[in-house]
Amino acid sequence: MAVATDDDIVYLYCEDTAEKDGKTPVSQDTVFDIASVSKTFTAVCILQLQEKGKLSIDDTLDKYFPEYEKGKDITIYNLLHMNSGIPDYMNNPDPFWNISGAEAADKQLSDILQDKTTDEQFLEALYNAPLMFEPGTQFSYSNTNYRLLAFIIEQVTGMKYCDYVQKNIFDKCSMKKTTSMAKGDMTYVPVDFEEQAAYGFTDENGYPVCPNNSRGDGGIHSCVSDMIAFDRALFGGKLLSKNSMGILLKDDDSYCCGLNQDKNGYSHDGSSMTCYAKNKIIESDELGYVYVITLERTGNSVQNGADIIAEPLEDTGYTRGTVKDGVYINEYADIKMNLPEGYESIEVEDLPSVMSGFEKEDKRIESAKRCDNLFYDGNGSGNAIEISFLNTKLGVPDDSDYTEEEYLDDYIELMARAGEDDEDGWTIKSKDINKAILGGKEYVRAKSVIDYHGNTEFNYFARKIDDELMCIITMSINNDESVSDFEKLFE
């Protein structure tokens, strides 16, 4: 991780480990997969070509893909701003590839990530895929948009995407270690990738294996020092004109062009199977632009700095709750809750991915917490109830007297910080901590109201079960129901 200005690197952290050769220490020159952060580069390429008169962002897609009937209503502008309505070929494969079910989706994803699908197969699927909504009417993040932008770049230049971005960005910025559509160049060491490799999502060493398919929407490999050079050149006016920069940074219903607008600047993050990347640009009156680059290796275990808490509830008295006939029961925690009508339970195997968002934060305590069950309103109200357990001895090893009040106060502060870094951003408008009774048991209750496209009320209930475990119940309420309606569900 690095924090830099246009004149200096003011902070640099590198993990105390070696690169894949087993000798070279990890440094600002260690090469990672930056995944979706690559989209910023693709957007810059498109605007460069508009400056040269090679294309217009108002062009419709049928100009470049004559067989695409729906392309008459979709512009390059729509692709740039993620409002084309085209389904995501990676994250929403069923409508795009005309398949059904998790097994088919895994097979399709494996084929994509092993370069077994051709450009012709991709375009054939595109031509037959339904639109999720009328182009230009709403935002929906879709990797397909930026894959198509790479195809357009190749058409109008007669160059491979990798060659164009090399000549017009990497070379101009002296990014000597950065590549696109390459294999074997990354120097970080993947961890906890065995499951991904078994599915064919990575090679046997945990590295991506799809140089052809990962272009436009991902597939750039870079390092901290090169990313700083790119940011400095981009925001220093060396890659785009002032007018084009205005277009690049225009927010249209939640997305600019390969960047998200934050409260104090712009950012984009990206995840591959074994990497996480974030490029954040902060606008500062005192320092000018401040660039924060994070490149880290990820895996099945939750990582917080040098700490790894893979199974925080193992070797405790915890037992998983059960759901039967609309009733949730956890005998260990002495909880019995009647599910509201229409509520559904997230499947056990899906919980790690659903609940992983805040585990990337820099607080060890969140990596010591695991979700036992998550229930959501299948009618679409947005209301949800989550029941989790925290191993305080692992999460707060130096404070055995860590209280429920302290946890709730820390968690709400964590939520506030996460809101500052979110693509759209949210703010916590109020916070109140008191006592409450659920099912005859006394809990510490914290209430917070978050402004995120409208107000959502969160109520957190915390109770120590024993010397190790604390139970946390979270209720999120988006409509006219009150927390008292949910409290009555507990027997």
Side-chain angles (χ1 to χ4, degrees), residues 177-219:
K177 291 184 174 290
T178 303
T179 62
S180 173
M181 299 172 62
K183 286 179 66 175
D185 60 321
M186 289 175 286
T187 56
Y188 79 101
V189 178
V191 293
D192 296 330
F193 56 84
E194 289 77 11
E195 185 175 358
Q196 292 94 324
Y199 274 99
F201 297 162
T202 71
D203 67 13
E204 67 277 10
N205 297 310
Y207 294 105
V209 287
C210 53
N212 182 67
N213 280 331
S214 287
R215 69 190 198 272
D217 57 322

Side-chain angles (χ1 to χ4, degrees), residues 7 58 208 223 345-346 356 390 413 471:
D7 302 315
D58 295 322
C223 58
S345 174
I346 297 287
S356 64
L390 167 69
E413 176 63 27
C471 176

Side-chain angles (χ1 to χ4, degrees), residues 241-340:
S241 67
K242 184 177 180 180
N243 180 63
S244 292
M245 281 298 293
I247 297 172
L248 182 83
L249 301 178
K250 178 187 175 184
D251 185 297
D252 188 343
D253 190 26
S254 303
Y255 200 77
C256 301
C257 298
L259 286 168
N260 299 287
Q261 186 168 27
D262 298 332
K263 290 181 181 179
N264 56 357
Y266 304 90
S267 69
H268 209 296
D269 61 3
S271 296
S272 67
M273 293 297 167
T274 55
C275 280
Y276 173 76
K278 184 157 189 173
N279 181 28
K280 185 173 180 64
I281 301 96
I282 301 169
E283 296 176 311
S284 164
D285 291 335
E286 180 181 358
L287 299 171
Y289 290 109
V290 178
Y291 312 109
V292 184
I293 315 296
T294 305
L295 303 175
E296 64 176 319
R297 54 184 187 168
T298 60
N300 294 328
S301 299
V302 177
Q303 296 187 50
N304 290 267
D307 297 320
I308 298 178
I309 305 177
E311 299 294 342
L313 304 185
E314 199 171 50
D315 299 324
T316 69
Y318 163 79
T319 57
R320 185 174 179 80
T322 60
V323 181
K324 185 177 181 181
D325 298 329
V327 180
Y328 164 83
I329 296 176
N330 189 301
E331 294 183 355
Y332 172 70
D334 197 12
I335 297 174
K336 184 177 181 181
M337 180 186 70
N338 298 297
L339 298 184

